Amino acid sequence: MVSLEGSSPGGGLYDRIYQVVRLIPRGRVAIYGQIAAYVGRCTPRQVGYAMAALPSGLDVPWHRVINREGRISFPRNSSAALEQSMLLQAEGVVFDESERVELDDVGWAGLLADSI
DNA sequence: CGGCTGACTCTGG
DNA sequence: TCCAGAGCCAGCC
């Protein structure tokens, strides 16, 4: 477990979000809503805002964060989307013909399902 | 100092 | 079944 208490509650919400994103294991992906639920007192929108405001230099696996559809939240032809998919595939994440990932397989919740 | 914008998701009509 | 609105923090001009 990670001590989220180290962060200032109420202030520095983004930092807590970054902390949670950092918990996503390699080869797994998490959706915005899942991160928001994990952080608590947070909406998926907030996570999106945090990702958009993600400063460079932090060891945050931002590419492991995708939307609820299992799809990258960037325009298909954008360089950011290409880089994200490239990073994910480098970790073993497989995209189908619709460029979507099987959340039941590589989803962060898959860790829990793995225990069952 | 004020207002705009930005990587989402869910519910109602 | 599809569209539209609401919820919401932080950085920047």
Side-chain angles (χ1 to χ4, degrees):
Chain A
M1 289 299 279
V2 174
S3 302
L4 295 175
E5 304 169 22
S7 304
S8 306
L13 173 63
Y14 283 21
D15 290 332
R16 294 206 302 178
I17 294 175
Y18 299 147
Q19 190 88 338
V20 173
V21 173
R22 256 167 122 195
L23 299 178
I24 307 172
R26 184 176 173 283
R28 280 313 148 142
V29 296
I31 66 178
Y32 296 92
Q34 192 167 19
I35 295 170
Y38 196 96
V39 172
R41 302 296 187 173
C42 179
T43 65
R45 190 69 177 232
Q46 302 296 109
V47 179
Y49 290 154
M51 292 292 107
L54 180 67
S56 57
L58 296 181
D59 286 328
V60 178
W62 60 270
H63 55 278
R64 296 181 192 150
V65 183
I66 59 179
N67 62 27
R68 184 187 167 293
E69 298 177 350
R71 180 127 165 56
I72 292 174
S73 293
F74 282 109
R76 192 186 180 298
N77 51 2
S78 68
S79 59
L82 291 175
E83 172 154 359
Q84 186 170 6
S85 64
M86 182 170 58
L87 287 169
L88 287 175
Q89 289 181 49
E91 294 185 349
V93 177
V94 180
F95 288 81
D96 62 12
E97 294 138 16
S98 301
E99 298 199 354
R100 303 207 311 185
V101 302
E102 195 61 40
L103 292 176
D104 291 332
D105 291 338
V106 297
W108 200 15
L111 293 177
L112 298 176
D114 211 14
S115 303
I116 302 172

